[in-house]
Amino acid sequence: MTTKVAVVGASGRMGQLFSRIVDETEGFEIFARIGSSGDLSEMIGADLVVDVTVPAVSHSIVDFALTNEIPVLVGTSGWSADRIRALERRLVDNPELGAVIIPNFSVGSVLASSFAAMAARFYDSIEIVEAHHATKIDSPSGTSVRTAELIAAARGPLGPVSAPHTDQRARGQQVASVPIHSLRLQGVVAKQDVILGGVGEVLTISHETLSPSAYEAGIVIALRAATQARGVIVGLDKLVDLSPDAGER
């Protein structure tokens, strides 16, 4: 059976990448290519909606897709924890539907965020510096927000990280108590450093995307998972096995 995919935001760089990968992946085909401000009714009849637009319109696209009982794969940044919780409450009444939200489709980025969460229990001083291309309109990035939330969850009873002088604007935006510093520069695709400070040492967990091709493997994983998803799934880490012995099974 072939999965018919409607890509919303198809003219953007991620939309073009998604469209190409859908065309190249067995079992999938493009049903509709829709602009960020296009007629959403064009998605009706699709088996899956991919949203790679901008934060200002992403919510309405997801709402339209779910209202028409079409599962959705979200690659748009800006989905806060509150917005995700509201989406979870909505899908309680429709358990057959699924929404998959992926802040970053790079497997390397997912690994780096997971490593940062593992290290967070051993350091109280943690900050994130993220950089993206100059045209990215939102900050902090969805990846850095997701990383900060994973760090906070991993720390659990240890509580918030130590972040002095947060009243100063130059100290970044706090997400789950972790200061995030955003750079928007020409010549950059995407880069994130999680910097953990301890007594007598500093640990930096760094990941840099050099080309959009880094997203391709994760996009295929997410496409296949989204067709079977139920409820809300957040993060590529939920779709891949990160256990140390996964390769031996």
Side-chain angles (χ1 to χ4, degrees):
M1 178 179 175
T2 299
T3 299
K4 297 178 293 185
V5 181
V7 179
V8 188
S11 60
R13 70 176 73 188
M14 283 299 288
Q16 293 178 47
L17 179 60
F18 256 97
S19 296
R20 176 175 66 78
I21 292 175
V22 169
D23 280 333
E24 295 175 352
T25 302
E26 184 178 356
F28 292 86
E29 67 178 19
I30 292 292
F31 176 79
R33 293 179 172 89
I34 307 170
S36 295
S37 58
D39 184 354
L40 297 184
S41 66
E42 294 180 38
M43 72 173 66
I44 295 175
D47 301 313
L48 175 67
V49 169
V50 170
D51 164 40
V52 278
T53 57
V54 294
V57 300
S58 179
H59 179 74
S60 62
I61 292 165
V62 172
D63 181 68
F64 188 92
L66 296 178
T67 296
N68 288 278
E69 299 190 336
I70 308 171
V72 62
L73 169 58
V74 181
T76 302
S77 295
W79 280 78
S80 66
D82 287 342
R83 180 176 285 186
I84 290 170
R85 281 192 290 269
L87 188 58
E88 289 172 336
R89 290 193 294 270
R90 173 180 181 168
L91 289 184
V92 166
D93 295 328
N94 201 335
E96 296 303 309
L97 268 181
V100 178
I101 301 172
I102 307 294
N104 196 312
F105 290 94
S106 161
V107 174
S109 175
V110 169
L111 288 170
S113 295
S114 297
F115 297 156
M118 289 171 57
R121 295 182 294 113
F122 302 95
Y123 296 89
D124 289 327
S125 185
I126 307 172
E127 306 203 13
I128 297 173
V129 180
E130 58 95 354
H132 282 78
H133 52 89
T135 57
K136 184 175 176 62
I137 64 173
D138 61 308
S139 61
S141 69
T143 301
S144 62
V145 169
R146 174 68 174 162
T147 304
E149 291 172 346
L150 289 172
I151 286 170
R155 287 180 59 80
L158 295 174
V161 303
S162 175
H165 311 300
T166 53
D167 58 315
Q168 301 173 3
R169 293 180 63 186
R171 290 291 290 118
Q173 178 178 324
Q174 280 193 297
V175 176
S177 82
V178 181
I180 301 177
H181 312 267
S182 297
L183 311 178
R184 297 293 175 262
L185 301 169
Q186 295 182 13
V188 176
V189 178
K191 188 176 191 298
Q192 177 173 282
D193 293 328
V194 181
I195 305 167
L196 305 98
V199 177
E201 65 177 0
V202 172
L203 171 64
T204 301
I205 299 173
S206 181
H207 176 265
E208 183 170 6
T209 301
L210 304 176
S211 164
S213 60
Y215 305 131
E216 295 184 8
I219 287 174
V220 173
I221 291 170
L223 281 170
R224 289 176 173 156
T227 61
Q228 305 295 325
R230 299 292 182 269
V232 179
I233 299 173
V234 181
L236 193 63
D237 53 300
K238 298 292 182 61
L239 307 180
V240 297
D241 190 347
L242 298 179
S243 59
D245 61 344
E248 301 173 4
R249 297 174 187 170

